[in-house]
Structure formats: structure tokens, C-alpha cells
Amino acid sequence: MTDTPHDLVDFGNGQPSSSLLPLDAIRTAADHCLSRGDAALLQYGDDQGDVDFRESLARFLTHRYATPVSAAHLMISAGVSQALDLVCTRFTRPGDTIFVEEPTYFLALEVFRDHGLQVVGIPIDHDGIRLDALQDALTRHCPALLYTIPSFQNPSGTTMSAARREQLAAVSRAHDLLIVADEVYQLLDFGTAPPPPLAAYIRDARVLSLGSFSKICAPGLRLGWIQGAAPLLDHLMQSGVVHSGGGLNPFASGVVRSLLDLGLADAGLDVLLRVYAERSAVLCRALRDALPMATFVEPRGGYFVWVQLPSTISASRLLPTAVAEGVSYRAGALFSSVNGFARSLRLSFAHYDEAALVLGVQRLARAIARYSTNAE
Amino acid sequence: MTDTPHDLVDFGNGQPSSSLLPLDAIRTAADHCLSRGDAALLQYGDDQGDVDFRESLARFLTHRYATPVSAAHLMISAGVSQALDLVCTRFTRPGDTIFVEEPTYFLALEVFRDHGLQVVGIPIDHDGIRLDALQDALTRHCPALLYTIPSFQNPSGTTMSAARREQLAAVSRAHDLLIVADEVYQLLDFGTAPPPPLAAYIRDARVLSLGSFSKICAPGLRLGWIQGAAPLLDHLMQSGVVHSGGGLNPFASGVVRSLLDLGLADAGLDVLLRVYAERSAVLCRALRDALPMATFVEPRGGYFVWVQLPSTISASRLLPTAVAEGVSYRAGALFSSVNGFARSLRLSFAHYDEAALVLGVQRLARAIARYSTNAE
């Protein structure tokens, strides 16, 4: 990485560094599972996903979530994006209204658009989705589902409090509201675990919890899970794609089953937690040093810092200047269903090493200085 | 396999035998690709699929299709079921009419149902889809697409003639009709290649060709491709699922790239062709011996024999008797969009060895004898 505009530091990139991808562990796991003479991972698999893999996954999640997880309540997916698409196919009809958090994960909004859904944003505060706003919206709408990212939210980094989770589950029960919880960051805490995942409420509320190996192992596996009560999973499994293609990713399931059973998934996640905690700290320190006018809450987990610029600055309008300086990010408006968050930007610390993070912030500071000078 | 009703011979099973799954070859390929120190297969991949894999696949298809295939016209999918779902999401709206062949693949009908589509069946004859019926239907409907299985059709085993393919492409041009060709059996001929795939028409008609490694290698990989002109592929790639999740199966793509480059995919397919040709011949001989009242066209490729029973027999009503005798199949009505084909049944020869195929036919003959006796 040299300090030239050609080596863009793209804080918008939500991918892990290639150096963090567990190539050797996956090689060990692949050899382990392909050596035992069982070709099941090459066959059309069970619609719900291989039961041995689901049991290994249930053990892993029971330990990591610190809350009991049963294999019977897990359906294997090809990642959260695929799972979200399947949930929309099976639980919504075009024209339906759904609720999302405001702000929310911008690419989930594209999945909802593909399904012809009307999106209503519910604001969040520092404890997660605002229940007063949700209750109010429920007087005007009958949503097919609510999409939430409870822990280390994308983009805001916010974690829903335990009390708020309880209240949300109560709202789900009272209104028969389907909660679709995107819990991909749940296990990515930097030392202080968030409250138990919404997956802990699948028995007493209408909750589907979407998890994935993308953020805790490797995105290219395209492997995740949907945790829910049997009737909800059954409804998902009655899909044409599942009936036709069988299990959604038997081969990657077999490899990751070995990864789990050999303890390599746990070891790999522990490495990621240490690296991301360090990167987050470095990015936040650099922001405080170089951008004293910016405000943010230092993340306690996940992938992102959600930065508020002074009200004189538009994150969207700043972007070309930033790119010219060799740095990029995701402007806040992307994450809004009502074109809000004009002065916010999302910075990911997952993709770059510490030197690149510092360099990116220096470039961002130069871009803001140039932008502010030009605006005067 | 002992001759007891407990060991059901399920001719309805469209899976390859586990003994035919290339466990050792996949192990070699996985070790090859995971040993070269390139973690790209573990990363969120290119939306279109890894370019090196697409180039290896293009070489394989150019050779096997005996018609030129370009990597630029390939998008990697997670199998035909996933691809068909994506095509429906991006090219149809609920309430749209689509055309299918009558009969057609019954589980594709479930995918179409999930998308709220109105299905109109177009009859086939021994040369494939009937163009007169298609032209007639086009005077009454404006379909979002036509779904066809041109070679060794599921369930009928029929292969569309070269002339019919030309005519279908002309209809596509004249009516701007999107043809979605499910070409999973194209490479499974028993010595006489079918006409070139509909993929050969992607430049001069509105054609998307869906291919897969499920039938030529291993279903559990959940790996396939969509071949089409750039504007059609671009429209597919502008999907929320692809934007969010990236390439649809980077890990399996990396493994199968090695399988292709090491010549193991070609070698494995050659084994399958020999085995399936033998199994098809054995099944047909057994049918002629034990069920002289049944008629069928001996398949020249694919997975299936489509058997017509005498008009006094309903395949659906026969099924419980058959299962009691220890044999099962798919009744013809499943494959119809108008509840037709009452006396047809689809038998797959892919899953069982030759002894089991003969045993299954003997049981089927006993079931028909019992059914006919009871009906008298």
C-alpha cells in the first residue's frame, strides 16, 4: 500500500481481508470430510440441511450464543442474502408492506425491491429499534414482516438492548408480527457479548433468525442458517427451489461440519475477534485524531463505524472529492428508506490492515478540508 | 438389495447413485485449489462468477457442446433450481402468464407457483414442442417466458429436433419471447449427440440456457451456469441477492475449476455416460420382457423412460399397489399443467444398479397384475 490515489482505501468494502480467510483450515476440513468415504455431501441433500451438520452447528451456536440451540430448529441456507430472498418468496406478496430499521442494510433493500415490497422505516435509538415508533406504525400498517439487525447493526453499529428485545418479542406476539432478525454480527463482539440473539425467542414469538458463516469464517462458502420454530421452517421448505434442488448447500455443509468438529471454526473466529477489535480501535483513534469535528460511537463489535459529519457536509456530495483523495465509503443516504442520513457515512474496518485504515482517515480528513474550503 | 417390500425401488428418485458420485476426484480437486495459496474462492466473488472458472467452463462446454461458448456469456449459478428462481424474480411479475411444455418438469411448476405465475402448457410431439400449438397460444397470451427442456426432456425423454430449435428461435425473435432452456441433460447422450443446445442461439434470439453440474458431476455442489447475451445476464445480475451476496457459489466454483482443469470432469462424465446407457438398456429390456402391454420410446440419453400404460390403468391409482409391492415412480399427472397423462409414468434409471432396475420392473408387473385383477 503506497500513499497514492490509485490505491483506493475503500471503507465501503464490507469484505474481510483476503489474509483473514482461513484457507489452510478449509483445506484441512475438506480433506477430512472427503476422506471418510461418505459421498452424502455430493448428493441432493435433505431439504432442511444435513442432520449431522445441523447438530454440529447447534453445538457451536449453543456454545457461542450461550443459549441453547437445537438442530431441529435450524435450516441450512446459502447465506443470509439467499435466506432473505427465500423468506420474501414464502412470506410476502408483491405490494405488501414490510418494516425495516432506519437506517438499515442497503442491499437488503434491493432484495425487498425485487419482491415488490413497500418499505417503511422505523427509527432506531442507542438501544435499537424504537418501540414507540413501531407501535405507532402498526396502527397504520399491517406489515408482512419486520427486518432487524439486532447486534452491531449495519450500518449504525447499534446493539438492541435486552429490554428492547423482550419488548419486540412481546410486540411480535401481540400483533402476530414476523420478525426476521439478521444476526450475522451477533458473534463478532470485542469482549462484551451482546444480549442473547433474537434466535432465543423462536419458541415464544414469531421470529426467524438468519445466521451465516460469511462474517465469522468465509463469505465464499455461501453457507448460512435459518433458525426458527418448526412451522415457520416447514413453510420455507415448501418452496419450489428447495423441493427441486434439495438442501441449499450440501457440499459446503460437509466441509464446514468438519471445520466445526475439528475445532477450526472456533479457533478461526477467535482470531477474527482479536483482529477486528484492534482494527476498530485503530480506526476510531485515527478518526478522533484527524477528524475532531466528526462524531461516532465506538463500536463494541461488528464491522462498522457510523460517522456523523458536521451539518454543513453532505456525505454524498463529499464522495467524489474523497475518491479523488484516494478514499471511499458508503454515504448514509444509501441506508435510508426516506433519503435520510445525509451527513452520515459508514466506514468498515474489516477489509484493511491498520496502516491502511490510518491512511484512509488521513485522506478523508484532506477531502473534508478541500470540500469545506470549496464550499466557503 | 434383498427382494422385500422394505427395500423400495423408487423409480421416482431422480438422484444419481451415491456410488457414482466422484468423491475421490472432488478430493483431488479440492486439494489442488486449496493448496495454491489463493483465497479468492473464500471471498465474496464477482457477481457473474469467477472469471478463471468461467473460462475453464467455457472451454469444457465448447468441447462438449461442440459449439463455441464464451466466458463472457456465462454467469455462475447455484444450480438450475436457483437459476430458475432468479430468472422468475428478474423477468416475471406475479400474475404473468408463462408457457411450459406439456408434460414438463414437475418441480419447476412449484418454482413458478412460488412466483405467482399462470402456467399454460404447450403440447410436445416426438420432435419437441409443437410450433403450431405455440403459435396458436401466442395469439391468446403474452407470456413472460417459455420454459423448455430441449434434450432428453424431463419426463418424456424427447429431444427437440434441429429444425424445431431453429423454428423456436425464429418465434422468439418474431415475438420477443424469452426462451428459458433447461439444458441439464444436453451432455448425457448415449452415443448420438442431440442437436446443438439452445445455448447456441443466444446471439440471435432471446434465450437463456440453464446448465448444471448436478447431472454431469454431483448435485451436492449446487453449481450451475446461465448462458445468455450480456444484456440478459446484466439484468439478472442487477438482483438484490447477487448485489448482497456476490457470486452465487465461489467455493464450489474454485473446486470445480480444478476438476475441469485436471481433466477430472471429462473423465467422470465419460463414466456416467457408459453407466447410464447400460442402465437405460437394462430397464428398457426388463420393461419389454415383463410389461409387454406398456409402450415407451427407448431413451437416447438423459435420466428417464416415459412409459404409457394401457388406457384401463391410472398411474396415480396404481401407485399404492405398486408401493405395497416395493416399487415406486412418478405418476404422469404430476408433470401436467392440466391434469393430463393419467396413464403415464416416469421411471428414472439413474439411481439404481442393474439388478435393482430389473427387480423394480418385476414388482411393477406384479402391481399391475394385482391392480388389473382388482379392477375386473
Side-chain angles (χ1 to χ4, degrees):
Chain A
M1 173 75 52
T2 59
D3 188 357
T4 73
H6 301 297
D7 293 330
L8 185 74
V9 176
D10 185 2
F11 286 123
N13 189 336
Q15 307 191 354
S17 322
S18 288
S19 62
L20 293 176
L21 294 168
L23 198 52
D24 289 341
I26 297 280
R27 184 184 173 195
T28 301
D31 192 62
H32 180 263
C33 73
L34 293 165
S35 299
R36 62 176 143 207
D38 179 1
L41 80 170
L42 299 182
Q43 191 56 277
Y44 289 106
D46 290 345
D47 290 355
Q48 192 170 348
D50 179 69
V51 65
D52 293 320
F53 172 53
R54 287 188 287 112
E55 289 188 348
S56 293
L57 177 58
R59 281 191 294 275
F60 173 78
L61 291 176
T62 296
H63 166 58
R64 287 281 181 174
Y65 279 172
T67 185
V69 174
S70 157
H73 295 139
L74 295 171
M75 174 182 178
I76 304 308
S77 76
V80 164
S81 307
Q82 184 274 328
L84 200 55
D85 185 56
L86 181 63
V87 167
C88 289
T89 298
R90 298 294 297 157
F91 285 99
T92 74
R93 299 297 299 164
D96 281 356
T97 293
I98 65 160
F99 289 175
V100 302
E101 292 164 324
E102 170 73 9
T104 191
Y105 171 44
F106 69 114
L107 294 171
L109 294 173
E110 290 196 19
V111 175
F112 301 140
R113 173 210 65 196
D114 284 352
H115 286 271
L117 301 172
Q118 306 296 318
V119 170
V120 172
I122 310 293
I124 62 171
D125 62 20
H126 62 282
D127 281 331
I129 194 162
R130 272 179 45 202
L131 268 292
D132 59 332
L134 175 60
Q135 294 278 14
D136 185 57
L138 282 167
T139 64
R140 292 190 306 280
H141 301 284
C142 186
L145 59 85
L146 161 69
Y147 172 69
T148 174
I149 309 166
S151 293
F152 313 124
Q153 204 238 15
N154 180 358
S156 69
T158 306
T159 291
M160 197 186 295
S161 67
R164 206 62 73 81
R165 289 170 199 239
E166 287 287 348
Q167 292 159 359
L168 184 59
V171 169
S172 166
R173 281 192 298 273
H175 294 263
D176 199 31
L177 173 62
L178 177 63
I179 310 280
V180 179
D182 181 342
E183 314 218 68
V184 290
Y185 306 105
Q186 178 71 25
L187 298 178
L188 285 185
D189 72 78
F190 303 155
T192 307
L198 281 179
Y201 295 91
I202 60 166
R203 281 175 195 76
D204 45 30
R206 205 152 166 253
V207 171
L208 287 171
S209 165
L210 312 182
S212 171
F213 286 95
S214 291
K215 305 297 186 194
I216 62 173
C217 181
L221 295 167
R222 297 288 82 212
L223 189 67
W225 61 90
I226 307 173
Q227 192 177 344
L232 294 181
L233 295 189
D234 285 347
H235 188 67
L236 290 172
M237 283 187 274
Q238 299 304 318
S239 111
V241 171
V242 173
H243 281 172
S244 175
L248 289 162
N249 205 343
F251 180 57
S253 296
V255 174
V256 174
R257 179 187 159 202
S258 286
L259 199 78
L260 291 165
D261 292 352
L262 297 172
L264 297 169
D266 269 308
L269 177 52
D270 289 338
V271 170
L272 292 182
L273 294 180
R274 202 185 62 238
V275 171
Y276 290 152
E278 289 167 0
R279 289 183 178 182
S280 171
V282 165
L283 176 59
C284 290
R285 195 160 50 238
L287 287 168
R288 280 190 293 266
D289 290 348
L291 288 176
M293 79 296 277
T295 60
F296 59 91
V297 176
E298 182 151 355
R300 297 176 163 211
Y303 258 44
F304 307 112
V305 181
W306 182 237
V307 175
Q308 314 306 310
L309 299 176
S311 59
T312 51
I313 303 180
S314 153
S316 301
R317 283 203 290 270
L318 171 65
L319 193 53
T321 308
V323 171
E325 288 289 347
V327 63
S328 189
Y329 53 80
R330 298 287 186 188
L334 274 177
F335 302 90
S336 174
S337 46
V338 289
N339 216 20
F341 306 107
R343 64 191 188 93
S344 304
L345 37 87
R346 189 196 76 176
L347 307 181
S348 166
F349 47 79
H351 191 68
Y352 291 102
D353 65 18
E354 299 177 10
L357 293 171
V358 171
L359 178 62
V361 171
Q362 290 165 348
R363 290 172 175 182
L364 186 58
R366 279 204 297 272
I368 290 173
R370 265 181 61 192
Y371 175 93
S372 303
T373 307
N374 292 342
E376 275 162 10
Chain B
M1 174 75 53
T2 59
D3 188 357
T4 73
H6 301 296
D7 293 330
L8 184 74
V9 176
D10 184 3
F11 287 125
N13 188 335
Q15 306 192 355
S17 322
S18 288
S19 62
L20 293 175
L21 295 169
L23 198 52
D24 290 341
I26 297 281
R27 184 183 172 195
T28 301
D31 192 61
H32 180 263
C33 72
L34 292 165
S35 300
R36 62 175 144 209
D38 179 1
L41 80 170
L42 298 181
Q43 191 56 278
Y44 290 106
D46 289 345
D47 291 354
Q48 191 170 350
D50 178 69
V51 64
D52 293 321
F53 172 54
R54 287 189 287 114
E55 289 188 348
S56 294
L57 177 58
R59 281 190 295 275
F60 174 80
L61 291 176
T62 296
H63 167 58
R64 287 282 180 173
Y65 279 171
T67 185
V69 174
S70 157
H73 296 138
L74 295 171
M75 174 182 176
I76 304 309
S77 76
V80 164
S81 307
Q82 184 274 327
L84 200 55
D85 185 57
L86 180 64
V87 167
C88 290
T89 298
R90 298 294 297 158
F91 285 98
T92 74
R93 301 295 300 163
D96 281 357
T97 292
I98 65 158
F99 289 175
V100 302
E101 291 164 323
E102 171 73 9
T104 191
Y105 171 44
F106 70 114
L107 293 172
L109 294 174
E110 289 196 20
V111 175
F112 301 140
R113 173 211 65 196
D114 284 351
H115 287 270
L117 302 172
Q118 306 295 317
V119 170
V120 172
I122 310 293
I124 62 171
D125 61 21
H126 61 282
D127 281 332
I129 194 162
R130 272 178 45 201
L131 267 291
D132 58 333
L134 175 60
Q135 294 278 13
D136 185 56
L138 282 168
T139 65
R140 292 191 306 283
H141 301 284
C142 186
L145 58 85
L146 160 69
Y147 172 69
T148 174
I149 309 167
S151 293
F152 313 124
Q153 204 237 14
N154 181 358
S156 70
T158 307
T159 290
M160 197 185 295
S161 68
R164 206 61 73 81
R165 290 172 198 239
E166 286 287 346
Q167 291 158 1
L168 184 59
V171 169
S172 166
R173 280 192 298 274
H175 293 263
D176 199 30
L177 173 62
L178 177 63
I179 311 280
V180 179
D182 180 343
E183 315 220 68
V184 289
Y185 306 105
Q186 178 70 25
L187 297 178
L188 286 185
D189 71 79
F190 302 155
T192 307
L198 281 179
Y201 294 91
I202 60 166
R203 281 176 196 76
D204 45 31
R206 204 150 167 256
V207 171
L208 287 171
S209 166
L210 311 183
S212 171
F213 286 95
S214 291
K215 304 298 185 194
I216 62 173
C217 180
L221 295 167
R222 297 289 81 211
L223 188 68
W225 61 90
I226 306 173
Q227 192 178 343
L232 294 181
L233 295 190
D234 284 346
H235 189 66
L236 289 171
M237 283 187 274
Q238 300 303 319
S239 112
V241 171
V242 173
H243 280 174
S244 175
L248 290 161
N249 205 343
F251 180 57
S253 296
V255 174
V256 175
R257 178 187 160 201
S258 286
L259 199 78
L260 291 165
D261 292 351
L262 296 172
L264 297 170
D266 270 309
L269 177 52
D270 289 339
V271 170
L272 292 182
L273 295 179
R274 202 186 64 239
V275 172
Y276 291 151
E278 289 167 1
R279 290 183 178 183
S280 172
V282 165
L283 176 59
C284 290
R285 194 158 54 237
L287 287 168
R288 279 189 294 264
D289 290 349
L291 287 175
M293 79 294 277
T295 60
F296 58 90
V297 176
E298 181 152 353
R300 298 178 162 208
Y303 258 44
F304 307 111
V305 182
W306 182 237
V307 174
Q308 314 306 310
L309 299 175
S311 58
T312 52
I313 303 180
S314 153
S316 300
R317 283 203 290 269
L318 171 64
L319 193 53
T321 309
V323 170
E325 288 289 347
V327 64
S328 190
Y329 53 79
R330 297 288 184 189
L334 273 179
F335 303 91
S336 174
S337 46
V338 290
N339 216 19
F341 306 107
R343 64 192 190 92
S344 304
L345 37 85
R346 189 197 76 175
L347 307 181
S348 167
F349 46 79
H351 191 68
Y352 291 103
D353 65 19
E354 300 177 8
L357 293 171
V358 171
L359 177 64
V361 171
Q362 290 165 348
R363 292 173 174 181
L364 186 58
R366 280 205 297 274
I368 290 173
R370 268 181 59 192
Y371 175 94
S372 302
T373 307
N374 291 343
E376 275 165 9

